[in-house]
Amino acid sequence: MSAPHRRRWLMLALGVNAHAGVTLGLAGLPLVIPDIQRHFGVSLPVAGIIANAPGIGILLALVAWGALADRYGERLILGLGVGGAALLLAAASFAGNAWAVVALLAGAGAAGCAAMVGGGRIVLRWFEPPERGVAMGVRQVSYTLGMAVAGFTLPPVARAYGISGVMLVCAGVSLLAAVLAGVFLAEPPHAVAGAARKPAGSPYRQPALWRVHATSGLHVVPQVVVGTYGVACLVEVYGWDGVAAGQLFAGAAVAGAATRVAAGRWSDVTGLRMAPLRLLTLTALAALALLVLGTYAGSRLGVAMLALAAVITVAGNGLAYLAAGELAGPAAAGRVLGVHNTVQNTVALAVTPLAGLLITQSGYWAAFAAGLACALVSLPVIPVRDERATRAS
């Protein structure tokens, strides 16, 4: 197998850097939810909405960025999108009203989500199929890398400089990532051999693609519950210091990065994406069940399973994302990946306040139980047989 070009790993690194950089502002704010509550004087559900406000803009803009990526390539959309997010995050640092911050963060999400579809297209366009699992695993590390940096930096920054300082740090990191992508990203020198063929007509004529989207939507529920409210759970239920809790989740993010790459390698060796995803889902079910029990009892088991759940619930994201892109084919990959992320963010946006209300009324264990139920429902939805049938044909 010939490599598309020796620069493929540099292009992937630029995509990873862009996504990781903007992740601090788009996904790292839940790590400072207690500080957001104090800064704005709001309840936990409202603080959750503020912290996840970028998801509003992400929901509205992902498909459009995907279409633009299909037409103009990754360099333009990453430079403009991530750069625009940096400016809006900087503006949010000077806004005093909570709902004004929500609006600015939503705008940052709409701009910065360009990195989500751009990075995926880099994998599909620069890498051949036997390398794509590992490459997509590395690309998915961008999120966990960004969250690791956020976990180690944002809580201490919030303590020293407040939420305004957090926003400025996020803006600065995003701006640097945008400049690097805009200057150094390039187009592949030729078509990648063995690239996923373009399906006849709409890619959505394939039932498997709908099932991949649905699987990811269900998997988002435990991811959001654990990722958004995990730090608050450690602080309120177990009496942890906020900085220490953030560091635990940062460590989990590092472990999650290694797990995503390993899952990608596993899928390359087997030539399958969905069968490994199903096994990872079974592992997540076990961790979530123990998390519910441990949190309900307030035992140390809950802390251990919270850390494990933070790793395992996101381990299969790259496999579903890659499967969606390969089913779409190169001509429609940007739009389909935009739809895939839109499904995930729609669910996340709905789950965040609902989980906050559930926690307020019944406790953290109840929210974790809801995530467990959704992961269980996803098992028959994962299109394992469809994938094997396609491979056999």
Side-chain angles (χ1 to χ4, degrees):
M1 179 189 67
S2 62
H5 196 272
R6 67 179 183 275
R7 291 192 297 159
R8 67 195 188 284
W9 292 106
L10 173 60
M11 298 301 107
L12 179 59
L14 290 168
V16 167
N17 184 63
H19 192 187
V22 81
T23 291
L24 269 73
L26 270 56
L29 298 180
L31 296 173
V32 292
I33 276 183
D35 299 280
I36 291 174
Q37 284 184 270
R38 287 191 293 270
H39 182 82
F40 293 107
V42 296
S43 64
L44 178 62
V46 175
I49 292 173
I50 295 171
N52 288 277
I56 301 170
I58 291 171
L59 173 64
L60 298 174
L62 270 169
V63 176
W65 279 121
L68 288 172
D70 287 336
R71 185 176 180 87
Y72 298 108
E74 296 81 25
R75 180 178 183 176
L76 178 66
I77 69 164
L78 289 183
L80 290 178
V82 178
L87 296 177
L88 288 163
L89 287 166
S93 70
F94 297 101
N97 180 272
W99 298 111
V101 171
V102 167
L104 288 167
L105 290 177
C113 69
M116 297 181 181
V117 293
R121 288 184 86 256
I122 289 172
V123 172
L124 292 168
R125 298 178 70 216
W126 281 85
F127 289 82
E128 304 207 31
E131 289 185 315
R132 284 188 191 149
V134 170
M136 190 62 81
V138 172
R139 183 266 173 197
Q140 291 288 332
V141 166
S142 57
Y143 176 83
T144 52
L145 177 61
M147 290 303 293
V149 174
F152 283 116
T153 59
L154 297 189
V157 169
R159 176 167 293 182
Y161 302 103
I163 294 301
S164 294
V166 168
M167 299 292 183
L168 285 175
V169 167
C170 294
V173 174
S174 295
L175 182 60
L176 176 60
V179 170
L180 291 174
V183 172
F184 294 109
L185 267 175
E187 288 293 303
H190 54 75
V192 175
R197 63 181 178 84
K198 179 181 179 180
S202 169
Y204 285 101
R205 293 180 180 179
Q206 306 168 92
L209 183 53
W210 290 98
R211 293 176 67 182
V212 171
H213 288 336
T215 297
S216 287
L218 289 166
H219 286 177
V220 163
V221 178
Q223 293 170 24
V224 167
V225 172
V226 171
T228 300
Y229 296 108
V231 168
C233 177
L234 289 174
V235 172
E236 295 183 16
V237 176
Y238 296 99
W240 279 46
D241 175 75
V243 172
Q247 290 173 344
L248 175 68
F249 270 77
V254 173
T259 303
R260 290 187 184 202
V261 175
R265 176 57 181 164
W266 178 14
S267 77
D268 284 342
V269 171
T270 62
L272 298 169
R273 313 301 184 195
M274 295 293 98
L277 179 60
R278 183 172 62 179
L279 289 175
L280 288 170
T281 303
L282 289 169
T283 305
L285 283 170
L288 289 165
L290 293 174
L291 173 59
V292 171
L293 293 174
T295 307
Y296 183 80
S299 67
R300 292 182 179 179
L301 176 65
V303 175
M305 290 302 103
L306 189 57
L308 178 59
V311 175
I312 199 65
T313 57
V314 300
N317 278 0
L319 300 181
Y321 194 74
L322 177 55
E326 289 181 330
L327 286 168
R335 285 163 286 177
V336 168
L337 294 179
V339 171
H340 189 82
N341 276 324
T342 298
V343 170
Q344 291 180 308
N345 283 280
T346 300
V347 175
L349 191 62
V351 167
T352 297
L354 292 175
L357 290 172
L358 187 57
I359 291 167
T360 301
Q361 295 176 359
S362 302
Y364 286 93
W365 70 271
F368 297 144
L372 170 64
C374 289
L376 183 62
V377 171
S378 77
L379 281 177
V381 180
I382 302 171
V384 175
R385 290 184 180 179
D386 291 350
E387 181 179 54
R388 285 176 172 163
T390 301
R391 186 186 183 199
S393 62

